Amino acid sequence: ALFLARLDGALVGYALLHVEPVGETWVADTWRTGERIGELESIAVAPSHRGRGIGSALLDAVDAEFEVLGVADVIIGLLPGNDGARRLYESRGFRPTWMYLSRFSER
């Protein structure tokens, strides 16, 4: 599902989520969850519009969609240093559960 946030007709943010059977993921190898797991793939608010509650409104829509779909277990990826997003997610009950380390040839 894709949610778009518009202000005076201008696109100022979005959220993208999906749901899949947990058995098709690595999550079931580590944690007990329901049969399906939701993931907030991506969420963003234009820098000039941050701090106005748009991210929270998008998360409200995402939470409502997961509820309609009957999905209680949700994961969100977060880039290191994105402390504002982390605070927002933690205020909504999310907690750190794992960390990826990467080595990219172009970095």
Side-chain angles (χ1 to χ4, degrees):
L2 174 65
F3 295 93
L4 302 176
R6 296 186 184 277
L7 190 60
D8 297 326
L11 182 63
V12 296
Y14 73 90
L16 177 65
L17 64 93
H18 80 270
V19 176
E20 63 186 314
V22 74
E24 295 179 11
T25 74
W26 53 268
V27 174
D29 295 338
T30 307
W31 292 282
R32 288 185 176 178
T33 67
E35 292 181 12
R36 298 183 310 147
I37 191 154
E39 182 172 3
L40 178 57
E41 283 283 335
S42 183
I43 184 169
V45 175
S48 60
H49 289 82
R50 291 181 184 155
R52 299 181 186 184
I54 295 167
S56 291
L58 285 166
L59 285 175
D60 288 343
V62 166
D63 285 344
E65 182 70 7
F66 282 135
E67 187 172 332
V68 165
L69 296 172
V71 174
D73 302 306
V74 178
I75 58 176
I76 300 174
L78 177 67
L79 293 174
N82 194 344
D83 297 329
R86 182 175 178 164
R87 283 190 301 274
L88 176 60
Y89 300 150
E90 288 180 343
S91 75
R92 298 176 74 97
F94 289 90
R95 298 293 175 258
T97 51
W98 74 88
M99 177 177 27
Y100 283 100
L101 300 177
S102 304
R103 182 173 58 205
F104 296 120
S105 63
E106 299 297 320
R107 286 189 148 221

